[in-house]
Amino acid sequence: MLHDLHTHSTASDGTLTPSDLVARAHAQGVRVLALTDHDSTEGLAEASAAAQALGVRLVPGVEISVTWRGKTVHVIGLHVDAANAVLQQGLARLRGFRDWRAEEIGRRLAEYGIADAYQGARRYARGNIVSRTHFARFLVEQGRAREVRDVYPYYLTEGKPGYVAGEWAALEEAVVWIRGAGGQAVIAHPARYKLNETKFELLLDEFKQHGGAAMEVLSGSHTPDDCARMARHAQRHGLLASQGTDYHGPEHTWLELGRLPAMPEGCVPVWQHWQ
Ligand code: AMP
Ligand code: MN
Ligand code: MN
Ligand code: MN
């Protein structure tokens, strides 16, 4: 059974609709798919209907933005009940911050000499949450970079003209919301965080103490060496192992749904006890 437990749709910063994402996952042999949009569960109903029609098992998920010791960390919720009021209140608060931040990014880019970025990003977001990805697409359109991935290091990360510091959920809040909604909390793409070894150990310890269940050992953004290192961390901290591509759409030609290496020996998969 091929699992891909970290993906995005047009409900956040992916480019495929929930239905098209499910269809592509099915065509790629994925049989258990989690839709994990940023701070939103809006795509889940459509994805669930599409999955049922194709015989794909859809895991309702979300990727929650967290600020931990001044850094942004992403926590995935798997099997969350999207009807849970506390979870939805929490996500609504994060989307409120996103809306303010989008305007602030627009103001900062305007000061830097790039006009109408807020409106441009909103156009790419099409009424859904506004992510830095949507700003990146607008800046590519404006000829500021050749590719979306080239935009972040020049415009949208710390120290750059369009950077606004995150004020997201606390780590404990994200875990409480996910668990309260019946889900399992998973640290997303752990090798991406620029934390030294001591800080990283502390993150995993705190996460585990709050009731976190798992961490992504296999991620579309991990090198083979990252996967091996994260497998050791998961085992040492008693965390289950998850896997997901963090798929955002076919434009990212270096990634495909379900395409991940084998789970390292000794890891306990997060889906071990799923019915
Ligand atoms: P946001 O959650 O709005 O701050 O946007 C972050 C999103 O931008 C991530 O989920 C990725 O999809 C995308 N992204 C891609 N590369 C980078 C990068 N180098 N730094 C930050 N975000 C990136
Ligand atoms: Mn994203
Ligand atoms: Mn992420
Ligand atoms: Mn993601």
Side-chain angles (χ1 to χ4, degrees):
M1 281 280 250
L2 183 51
H3 289 69
D4 192 335
L5 302 178
H6 184 163
T7 67
H8 296 273
S9 75
T10 46
S12 64
D13 58 354
T15 55
L16 296 183
T17 63
S19 309
D20 289 345
L21 179 82
V22 170
R24 189 176 179 113
H26 178 257
Q28 292 296 330
V30 175
R31 292 297 169 262
V32 184
L33 175 75
L35 176 60
T36 56
D37 277 307
H38 298 286
D39 307 323
S40 169
T41 58
E42 284 298 299
L44 292 178
E46 183 186 320
S48 173
Q52 204 162 10
L54 289 170
V56 170
R57 179 166 181 195
L58 195 278
V59 175
V62 65
E63 181 172 15
I64 300 182
S65 310
V66 163
T67 302
W68 184 78
R69 297 184 178 229
K71 299 254 187 202
T72 298
V73 167
H74 287 171
V75 176
I76 299 268
L78 295 177
H79 283 300
V80 290
D81 172 11
N84 184 271
V86 176
L87 171 67
Q88 289 304 340
Q89 278 160 23
L91 297 180
R93 189 184 99 206
L94 301 184
R95 291 194 299 269
F97 171 70
R98 261 184 195 284
D99 290 342
W100 173 84
R101 183 190 66 160
E103 294 188 54
E104 185 63 20
I105 292 174
R107 282 189 285 270
R108 295 197 187 181
L109 289 174
E111 277 172 34
Y112 182 72
I114 302 172
D116 301 326
Y118 173 67
Q119 289 78 2
R122 285 283 302 265
R123 179 156 43 78
Y124 280 101
R126 297 198 199 175
N128 296 299
I129 65 125
V130 185
S131 152
R132 278 185 286 170
T133 310
H134 301 113
F135 281 93
R137 289 186 191 134
F138 171 76
L139 290 169
V140 169
E141 173 198 300
Q142 296 296 302
R144 296 281 174 166
R146 281 168 69 108
E147 269 194 82
V148 163
R149 60 174 164 179
D150 300 329
V151 176
Y152 302 98
Y154 292 100
Y155 294 96
L156 299 174
T157 50
E158 208 168 339
K160 302 303 171 195
Y163 179 72
V164 178
E167 289 169 32
W168 306 112
L171 182 65
E172 181 169 17
E173 277 182 312
V175 175
V176 165
W177 297 342
I178 290 165
R179 296 184 78 200
Q184 286 173 295
V186 184
I187 298 272
H189 42 64
R192 280 238 305 257
Y193 310 124
K194 293 183 178 74
L195 298 168
N196 65 35
E197 204 60 14
T198 312
K199 274 273 191 86
F200 184 65
E201 294 282 347
L202 194 61
L203 171 66
L204 296 183
D205 282 340
E206 283 188 21
F207 177 68
K208 174 90 184 171
Q209 265 170 29
H210 296 321
M215 61 189 277
E216 287 182 347
V217 167
L218 304 182
S219 162
S221 61
H222 283 178
T223 65
D225 184 61
D226 290 334
C227 295
R229 213 155 39 83
M230 293 307 151
R232 290 194 293 273
H233 278 294
Q235 289 168 50
R236 186 145 16 100
H237 290 267
L239 290 166
L240 300 170
S242 190
Q243 64 178 50
T245 53
D246 201 5
Y247 188 81
H248 281 74
E251 311 69 31
H252 297 181
T253 51
W254 57 92
L255 265 180
E256 185 51 84
L257 285 161
R259 204 170 293 166
L260 291 161
M263 188 60 84
E265 203 72 27
C267 286
V268 183
V270 66
W271 58 85
Q272 177 96 326
H273 298 297
W274 292 357
Q275 297 304 307

